[in-house]
Amino acid sequence: MGRGVGRRRGGVPQGAGERKVVSKRAAIDAAHWLRLAAAPTFAIMALLTAAFGGSADALCSATGASLLGGMVPMYLLMTAFHAAPWLKLIGSHARTSQVGKNPA
């Protein structure tokens, strides 16, 4: 091994590992919320584009070529593709709410 390996270990202050764990947990939490934010964001973009007559449709080369041409269908498809975290969240809440109930 090289000379620097032993020197780097000795220079790590106490508590640095704890900060690393906290920052890793914060990154995981941020990623979780970011995944949940994707579907509603795309749905809102689809609604706004439909309501205000998306001028970006003119920029799409596929406009008029298929039923999926244009920005509104694209945003709706992106909403559907990013709905999995919401479905998991709803499913987990449904399972936990059924655990406490007695069958009739």
Side-chain angles (χ1 to χ4, degrees):
M1 296 284 161
R3 283 193 247 169
V5 172
R7 291 182 186 171
R8 273 187 248 145
R9 276 198 182 169
V12 175
Q14 293 290 340
E18 294 170 8
R19 281 182 281 178
K20 194 175 193 177
V21 170
V22 170
S23 64
K24 184 176 180 179
R25 183 65 202 166
I28 291 170
D29 288 343
H32 173 72
W33 287 110
L34 186 60
R35 284 186 1 219
L36 287 174
T41 301
F42 290 128
I44 291 169
M45 290 169 68
L47 289 173
L48 290 175
T49 303
F52 296 115
S55 61
D57 282 343
L59 299 175
C60 290
S61 62
T63 302
S66 72
L67 294 175
L68 297 178
M71 298 303 289
V72 174
M74 181 194 68
Y75 288 139
L76 292 175
L77 282 172
M78 291 169 71
T79 301
F81 290 141
H82 287 89
W86 282 100
L87 296 175
K88 286 181 184 178
L89 184 66
I90 292 168
S92 69
H93 282 294
R95 281 191 300 273
T96 56
S97 66
Q98 292 298 324
V99 171
K101 293 182 179 178
N102 293 329

